Amino acid sequence: MKQHRNDFGNPDFYITAPQPCPYLAGLTERKLFTHMGLEGGKAGSAQRVDNLLRSGFRRSQNIAYTPSCKGCQACVSVRVVATEFVTGRSFRRTLADNSDLVATRLPPAPTDEHYALFRDYVRTRHGEGGMADMKEAEYAMMVGPSAVDTFLVEYRLPPAEGAPSGDANATSGRLVGVSLCDQLSDGISMVYSFYAHAEASRGLGTYMILDMIAQARGCGLTYVYLGYWIRGSRKMSYKSRFRPQEHLERPGWVRQP
C-alpha cells in the first residue's frame, strides 16, 4: 500500500495491493482510498466527502474509495437522473407488488433486527463475498453515522392481524428490507441495500431503487447514485434499466443514449 497525493484537499490517499476481482474472473483489483475523518470540523469534512462521492468515489464505513486497476476500466460510476425518470410498465408492476409495504426513514443506528436480516441476505445471496464474515460490530460501523448525512430506510409488511401479544409483527409488521443511503448536495447515494430472501419474488432490490428515486424527487434532488456498473458483470447489469442515467467518463458525467 502506498500513499498518493490528490486534488481533493487531503494528501492522505492510499492504493491497496492487488487482489482477485470479485466481479470479473481472472482479473485483479486495486482501490484508491482515504479515511473520512472529521478534521477541521463536521461541516468542512462533510463538504470534502460530498465532493468525493459526487466525483465517483463510494463510501464504506469511514472510507471513501474508487477502483484504481491497471489495464482495466470496467467499473463505471452510474447515477440516475431522478427528476426525468419515467416509470415504465415493468417498474409499475414492481411498485404495485410492493404497494403494501411501509417505508420509514431512520437515523443511522444498528439494531439486532436489521443485523439478522443482513446476515440472512448475505448468507443466501453473497455467501462467498467479502461481507460473508462481517461481525455485528463491523455491521454497526457500516450503518453508523458518517461525515455526510447518512440515513436508513426500512421496509415492513403491514402489521400482522392475529399475531400473539408481544409479537413485534403485530404492531410494526415484519421487516423485509433495509437501505443504507447518504444524502449529498445534489442527490441520494445508495450505499448498501439488503432484503428478505423469502420475499425475493417482490423485486425488492428494484423497488428500493424506485423508492429512492421518488424520495430524491420529493427532496428536490436531481440524482440517485447507484455506485458502479461493471462491464461484463451480470450481477451489475440491472443498473442499466434505470434511465435516463449518466456515466462518469474522462470529460465528466456524460448522459447515456
Side-chain angles (χ1 to χ4, degrees):
M1 182 173 66
K2 59 183 180 181
Q3 190 172 9
H4 177 81
R5 292 193 174 272
N6 62 91
D7 298 322
F8 289 101
N10 184 344
D12 298 326
F13 275 61
Y14 302 89
I15 297 178
T16 63
Q19 54 187 319
C21 177
Y23 296 102
L24 300 177
L27 299 182
T28 58
E29 68 166 3
R30 300 191 312 170
K31 291 184 174 71
L32 176 71
F33 72 94
T34 184
H35 294 278
M36 301 188 307
L38 298 179
E39 298 84 354
K42 178 78 173 182
S45 181
Q47 181 61 58
R48 178 170 60 82
V49 175
D50 184 90
N51 290 339
L52 285 170
L53 299 182
R54 290 188 296 107
S55 300
F57 279 71
R58 296 291 289 167
R59 184 180 72 81
S60 176
Q61 299 179 11
N62 68 336
I63 291 174
Y65 69 90
T66 188
S68 182
C69 307
K70 289 184 176 180
C72 181
Q73 297 180 338
C75 294
V76 180
S77 292
V78 173
R79 66 185 186 186
V80 182
V81 186
T83 50
E84 300 179 34
F85 180 78
V86 177
T87 307
R89 180 181 301 177
S90 64
F91 288 145
R92 290 197 296 270
R93 185 164 53 247
T94 299
L95 290 171
D97 290 343
N98 293 281
S99 60
D100 58 334
L101 297 185
V102 178
T104 305
R105 182 163 169 162
L106 302 170
T111 71
D112 291 341
E113 186 181 23
H114 288 183
Y115 178 66
L117 182 65
F118 169 80
R119 289 295 303 156
D120 178 69
Y121 174 82
V122 172
R123 185 183 69 252
T124 54
R125 296 183 63 87
H126 304 287
E128 297 180 356
M131 291 185 170
D133 298 324
M134 183 177 285
K135 306 301 181 185
E136 191 166 1
E138 296 172 305
Y139 171 80
M141 291 179 61
M142 182 178 82
V143 301
S146 74
V148 290
D149 183 6
T150 297
F151 63 93
L152 295 168
V153 178
E154 65 173 25
Y155 300 86
R156 293 181 179 273
L157 293 170
E161 296 182 4
S165 177
D167 188 337
N169 292 333
T171 56
S172 58
R174 182 162 62 86
L175 180 71
V176 297
V178 176
S179 187
L180 171 66
C181 301
D182 293 335
Q183 184 161 320
L184 310 181
S185 58
D186 64 355
I188 293 175
S189 174
M190 299 188 71
V191 179
Y192 196 78
S193 299
F194 50 95
Y195 52 86
H197 177 69
E199 301 290 339
S201 62
R202 286 175 169 266
L204 285 168
T206 296
Y207 177 71
M208 287 189 278
I209 295 176
L210 294 173
D211 187 51
M212 284 304 112
I213 291 173
Q215 290 201 33
R217 295 172 71 164
C219 294
L221 300 170
T222 305
Y223 303 108
V224 171
Y225 291 80
L226 298 183
Y228 299 116
W229 169 72
I230 303 174
R231 294 186 182 90
S233 172
R234 294 181 60 186
K235 291 182 179 179
M236 294 297 176
S237 62
Y238 71 91
K239 296 183 181 182
S240 62
R241 299 177 58 206
F242 298 89
R243 294 180 174 272
Q245 65 178 232
E246 298 176 355
H247 291 183
L248 185 58
E249 301 177 1
R250 287 189 180 277
W253 289 101
V254 177
R255 179 84 165 233
Q256 299 303 297

